[in-house]
Amino acid sequence: MAGGWARDGAVQDQIDDTISDAVRAARSRMPVGESERYCIECGEEIPERRREALPGVKRCVACQSGLDSSARASGINRRGSKDSQLR
């Protein structure tokens, strides 16, 4: 974080850069290319509207939701706030 002799607006610039980096990283993880017609996990048909909305999609909503929720449940405290460490 900027502080001390930093110029005015330096903190906001750091916040903006952090957000831009996160958006860029999220976009790089999005699927690209041709979508699968059937889910690679369960074999159910992926609705056409989903395939149009997310080019390169490989899973149905239910399977992708399960994958996303298991990825979030890592149990690692990434924020490092004192309150979350005391729980």
Side-chain angles (χ1 to χ4, degrees), residues 37-78:
R37 186 163 172 85
Y38 298 96
C39 177
I40 62 172
E41 297 290 326
C42 68
E44 290 291 318
E45 185 174 4
I46 299 171
E48 183 178 352
R49 302 281 307 246
R50 176 170 170 75
R51 289 181 281 147
E52 290 171 356
L54 292 169
V57 71
K58 306 287 185 204
R59 293 174 180 83
C60 66
V61 174
C63 291
Q64 187 65 51
S65 294
L67 185 68
D68 291 345
S69 65
S70 67
R72 277 189 296 246
S74 66
I76 298 172
N77 178 9
R78 298 190 187 281

Side-chain angles (χ1 to χ4, degrees), residues 74-86:
S74 66
I76 298 172
N77 178 9
R78 298 190 187 281
R79 293 185 183 213
S81 72
K82 292 177 185 174
D83 290 340
S84 64
Q85 292 175 3
L86 295 174

Side-chain angles (χ1 to χ4, degrees), residues 2-20:
W5 298 101
R7 65 174 177 74
D8 288 343
V11 173
Q12 187 60 48
D13 290 344
Q14 287 181 336
I15 292 169
D16 293 342
D17 289 343
T18 300
I19 292 170
S20 295

